[in-house]
Amino acid sequence: MEKMIIREALDTDLESVLFTHRQAFGQEEEAGLVRDLLDDPSAAPFLSLLACMGGRPIGHVLFTRARLEPMAPLSVSILAPLAVIPQFQRQGVGIKLTEHGLAILTESGTDLVFVLGHPEYYPRFGFEPAGRLGFEATFPIPDKNAAAWMVKALGPGVIGSYQGRVICADKLNEPEFWKE
């Protein structure tokens, strides 16, 4: 089996990144969101990681800037979306992309990372339900999906010291992106 390489996506990788999302989700919506976020100044700085095998894209993860209201002296990111091409799913690609991204964000001084995702998947990385810790999503999450809104602290002393509503990048600030 060929070795997977994870690297920061370049501007010249845009078509590979969008291809990955189209393949993973079987539709254009997530690819369009990624394209819009990569072009959204309010999402920067962002971290865009591409997983490749044999020179072919097989996965992608995007972390974009967010902030807390009321304003807090924190560096905050949102993980969205994570995509793996179907034939490479359930082989650890998403895990490696997420772990690599979290390591880079930790080194860069990011304090909190949020995700609206599967509550069975993301706790393996240390994510926990954000609502019960005092962090509201950009748009209300229905009670039945509350466990899907999660946070991970990348440094000590942040959880319990801060609370508030997460404000995301402009292109992610639409109610349709806040359903799980």
Side-chain angles (χ1 to χ4, degrees):
M1 184 174 195
E2 295 183 54
K3 184 177 178 181
M4 179 176 62
I5 296 169
I6 296 175
R7 61 177 175 77
E8 288 196 40
L10 307 171
D11 292 344
T12 56
D13 292 318
L14 181 61
E15 285 309 313
S16 294
V17 166
L18 300 179
F19 170 82
T20 302
H21 286 274
R22 289 181 190 114
Q23 293 294 306
F25 294 102
Q27 61 185 19
E28 184 64 30
E29 183 178 2
E30 288 80 7
L33 173 61
V34 169
R35 182 180 45 251
D36 290 346
L37 285 168
L38 291 173
D39 196 37
D40 180 353
S42 72
F46 56 78
L47 177 61
S48 177
L49 296 176
L50 187 63
C52 298
M53 190 175 291
R56 292 180 41 228
I58 63 170
H60 178 259
V61 67
L62 182 61
F63 297 86
T64 56
R65 182 180 62 162
R67 60 185 170 82
L68 279 182
E69 248 183 28
M71 291 298 285
L74 300 174
S75 175
V76 180
S77 288
I78 294 181
L79 185 169
L82 168 64
V84 177
I85 290 177
Q87 64 261 37
F88 293 97
Q89 292 176 359
R90 294 178 175 48
Q91 296 179 34
V93 176
I95 291 170
K96 286 183 174 38
L97 277 166
T98 303
E99 288 174 343
H100 195 77
L102 292 172
I104 290 171
L105 291 173
T106 299
E107 287 179 26
S108 73
T110 300
D111 297 297
L112 296 170
V113 177
F114 291 89
V115 67
L116 179 61
H118 296 287
E120 301 82 33
Y121 184 76
Y122 289 99
R124 73 183 72 195
F125 306 106
F127 283 91
E128 54 188 319
R132 71 174 187 193
L133 298 172
F135 299 106
E136 296 174 49
T138 301
F139 287 91
I141 306 294
D143 288 343
K144 66 183 177 103
N145 296 332
W149 174 239
M150 294 173 271
V151 63
K152 176 178 174 63
L154 299 182
V158 178
I159 302 286
S161 298
Y162 297 95
Q163 300 183 27
R165 182 169 168 251
V166 176
I167 307 300
C168 61
D170 294 343
K171 296 294 183 175
L172 193 55
N173 197 9
E174 299 292 336
E176 66 263 21
F177 298 127
W178 293 89
K179 297 176 184 161
E180 178 54 32

